[in-house]
Amino acid sequence: MKKPENFIAGIDKMAELSGKTPEHLSRTLKKYYNITPSQLVNNLRLNYAVNLLTNTNLKIIDTCFESGFVNLSTFYNMFKEEHGVTPNEFRKNYILPSNQI
């Protein structure tokens, strides 16, 4: 699931890769990791977005879609909830200018 093509495809891809039903995946993830399949997929997407924000100059909207989110508003809200800042603020505050690396 850590490959972009897998987490971008989402829960259906997770079920396909595991050979289990979505319901079984949901029960298992909840039991052992206390998260839902959606939370797992969104965490992987957010981590990938952080990587893109850190290592590329992609526009925020391109980062959103490249990470597998289909809605910019959802991406902003989830990113801010997870990191405490918007993607744009993250890029400005947490990335060193190229001349300081």
Side-chain angles (χ1 to χ4, degrees), residues 14-34:
M14 186 187 317
E16 178 188 324
L17 290 170
S18 72
K20 306 295 180 192
T21 65
E23 294 79 12
H24 179 79
L25 283 174
S26 182
R27 286 189 306 271
T28 303
L29 284 171
K30 196 67 169 168
K31 180 178 179 179
Y32 293 106
Y33 299 103
N34 201 32

Side-chain angles (χ1 to χ4, degrees), residues 39-57:
Q39 288 171 316
L40 175 64
V41 168
N42 286 329
N43 288 341
L44 291 168
R45 290 174 177 173
L46 287 170
N47 287 337
Y48 189 65
V50 165
N51 184 39
L52 292 175
L53 290 169
T54 304
N55 297 306
T56 72
N57 290 323

Side-chain angles (χ1 to χ4, degrees), residues 42-83:
N42 286 329
N43 288 341
L44 291 168
R45 290 174 177 173
L46 287 170
N47 287 337
Y48 189 65
V50 165
N51 184 39
L52 292 175
L53 290 169
T54 304
N55 297 306
T56 72
N57 290 323
L58 283 176
K59 294 179 181 178
I60 301 299
I61 192 163
D62 295 330
T63 299
C64 166
F65 296 131
E66 191 72 25
S67 299
F69 291 94
V70 295
N71 182 297
L72 186 60
S73 177
T74 300
F75 171 63
Y76 262 84
N77 290 334
M78 292 183 92
F79 193 95
K80 187 166 184 177
E81 184 177 320
E82 179 70 22
H83 297 285

